[in-house]
Amino acid sequence: PLRFELLGGFRVRRAGWELDESSWKRPMAARVVRFLLIQGAAAVPEDALFEAFWSDRDADAARQHLTVAISRARKVLDLPGAEESAIEVRERTYRLALRERDSVDSVEFEAAAAAALADAGPGRLAALRRAAALWTGEPLPEDRYAEWSAAWRARLVGTYSDLLGALIESHFAAAEHDEAIRVGRRLLAVEPLNEAAHRSLMVAYAR
């Protein structure tokens, strides 16, 4: 199975072993894989890839660069002799075809966060803690300034902020003010201008 990690930096593991950067040979191959990963199961038209990475090239040149990047990525992700590639190409669209045993850390985080935020029962605090523990750092810091990653990054950071805000309130309800302070500091590290977090910290210190 393949394990893709996008939080705190891009890493790929196969059966627990990390594939080092030299495996990719070309940085563009890894960038294309990251682009496909954040699209989820959606098939991406080649024009979207052209616009993201080769907007200054004509279509033929961009297609040639894309072909090379996909070929290199397949050599990294596909096992020798595999009948099907991890990157599916159909009618000039591209999709990362994850198998059932493959996993992506950001997908797991979002699923856990959604479940925790929807939990109104006695297990809410524990669920919020478990979900927050899945956050291991900034989403794709390698692509911090790439236009194609901006909306995805903002969505993840927003979810993490909502999660921490809910966690602070749960700690308040449990009279765990030290924990509320600790989580409040984590929230301000992500969003320094979050006024609600500043208010929560002041309340927690006062209590």
Side-chain angles (χ1 to χ4, degrees):
L2 289 168
R3 169 70 173 176
F4 296 94
E5 298 177 3
L6 309 182
L7 300 175
F10 179 61
R11 293 171 297 278
V12 182
R13 303 178 191 273
R14 185 188 299 283
W17 294 90
E18 183 172 353
L19 306 180
D20 59 36
E21 292 185 9
S22 64
S23 301
W24 296 96
K25 303 293 185 183
R26 296 171 180 266
M28 186 56 72
R31 292 190 193 116
V32 168
V33 169
R34 296 198 294 268
F35 182 96
L36 295 177
L37 273 169
I38 72 172
Q39 312 305 319
V44 181
E46 65 174 16
D47 288 347
L49 287 155
F50 294 170
E51 179 62 28
F53 300 112
W54 301 284
S55 59
D56 59 336
R57 306 294 179 91
D58 61 47
D60 289 339
R63 189 171 295 113
Q64 183 176 0
H65 284 292
L66 177 58
T67 299
V68 171
I70 293 295
S71 176
R72 182 65 251 168
R74 281 175 162 171
K75 289 180 180 179
V76 175
L77 300 180
D78 295 346
L79 289 171
E83 294 183 1
E84 296 181 353
S85 174
I87 300 179
E88 184 180 90
V89 182
R90 291 184 181 177
E91 299 178 354
R92 293 192 176 181
T93 66
Y94 297 79
R95 186 174 77 90
L96 196 62
L98 300 182
R99 299 161 299 172
E100 186 176 350
R101 294 172 62 200
D102 296 336
S103 59
V104 184
D105 66 346
S106 61
V107 173
E108 293 174 346
F109 165 75
E110 287 194 285
L117 290 168
D119 189 342
R124 177 177 173 83
L125 176 56
L128 290 169
R129 279 175 166 164
R130 286 194 298 271
L134 295 177
W135 182 271
T136 53
E138 178 187 355
L140 286 185
E142 300 91 341
D143 302 301
R144 184 178 297 137
Y145 304 111
E147 290 185 12
W148 55 267
S149 69
W152 175 82
R153 283 167 41 86
R155 187 185 78 222
L156 277 173
V157 171
T159 298
Y160 183 52
S161 297
D162 292 343
L163 189 66
L164 293 183
L167 193 52
I168 291 171
E169 292 303 318
S170 292
H171 283 310
F172 277 156
E176 297 174 346
H177 306 307
D178 287 343
E179 287 298 304
I181 290 171
R182 182 180 62 81
V183 177
R185 287 173 172 169
R186 288 169 62 187
L187 179 51
L188 286 178
V190 177
E191 291 189 326
L193 301 181
N194 188 314
E195 294 183 5
H198 282 288
R199 287 196 298 270
S200 294
L201 267 181
M202 287 187 282
V203 171
Y205 279 123
R207 291 179 178 176

